[in-house]
Amino acid sequence: MFLIPTKSEANEQRYSFGLGMGSIYSGIGSNFAIISDKDMKYISIGCIEYSSNNGAECGLGLGWVNTDLFSPDNNKHGLGLYISMVGHESNTIKVNGNFETEENDIYGLGVSYTYFFNGIGNSGMNIGISSHLTNADYKDNYGGFLQIGYQF
């Protein structure tokens, strides 16, 4: 006998943990998400740069991915919004005859597309692409991520 879930059971939220690289992982990192059959709200932590001189540049991100925007019957294609640390910049300036280095973290606000191979509500691989605007003073004010990861 087949059981058909009620609407409240089908939209039940659960928790998920993910590992990967891209916007929903804040570079190379992980996320903790609240997932339903149609959307994912997450907080992420990851590293976006590494230098042997300065070490790793790591930060946090927040985001939301929704699959209802393309088709209510297909939960594999997600459109998202995120805010995250996306880079680091330094600039050396001369102040009163001395050189000083100014260091800044760069944050971005962006949109993303993610394809969930097993659907957003199930464990599995995902791939995606994103584009963001930044608050950079000395680097480009735009950027993006390619994405690949796994949600457990």
Side-chain angles (χ1 to χ4, degrees):
M1 179 172 166
F2 295 103
L3 295 175
I4 300 172
T6 64
K7 186 166 182 78
S8 63
E9 289 171 341
N11 291 326
E12 187 176 301
Q13 293 185 340
R14 66 176 183 87
Y15 299 101
S16 175
F17 172 76
L19 294 171
M21 67 174 230
S23 62
I24 66 175
Y25 305 105
S26 290
I28 297 175
S30 63
N31 68 28
F32 176 75
I34 299 172
I35 294 182
S36 73
D37 285 340
K38 300 295 179 185
D39 78 336
M40 176 171 97
K41 299 166 199 82
Y42 64 88
I43 183 168
S44 57
I45 185 167
C47 297
I48 41 87
E49 291 181 10
Y50 178 79
S51 163
S52 59
N53 292 335
N54 299 326
E57 293 295 334
C58 303
L60 296 173
L62 293 171
W64 174 61
V65 179
N66 188 322
T67 60
D68 265 350
L69 301 173
F70 292 110
S71 169
D73 299 327
N74 184 337
N75 67 355
K76 292 184 177 185
H77 301 276
L79 191 60
L81 299 171
Y82 67 93
I83 185 166
S84 179
M85 184 174 171
V86 296
H88 184 80
E89 64 184 357
S90 61
N91 187 44
T92 303
I93 56 175
K94 190 172 186 178
V95 177
N96 297 329
N98 297 320
F99 289 100
E100 295 181 11
T101 302
E102 181 181 16
E103 304 278 336
N104 297 317
D105 290 333
I106 302 172
Y107 293 89
L109 176 64
V111 295
S112 65
Y113 167 78
T114 304
Y115 180 78
F116 297 91
F117 286 90
N118 297 333
I120 197 168
N122 300 311
S123 294
M125 294 289 298
N126 65 73
I127 58 172
I129 191 166
S130 65
S131 179
H132 52 255
L133 298 175
T134 74
N135 68 334
D137 292 326
Y138 307 108
K139 291 186 176 182
D140 291 334
N141 290 98
Y142 55 88
F145 288 113
L146 293 176
Q147 178 180 302
I148 185 165
Y150 192 94
Q151 285 300 126
F152 297 92

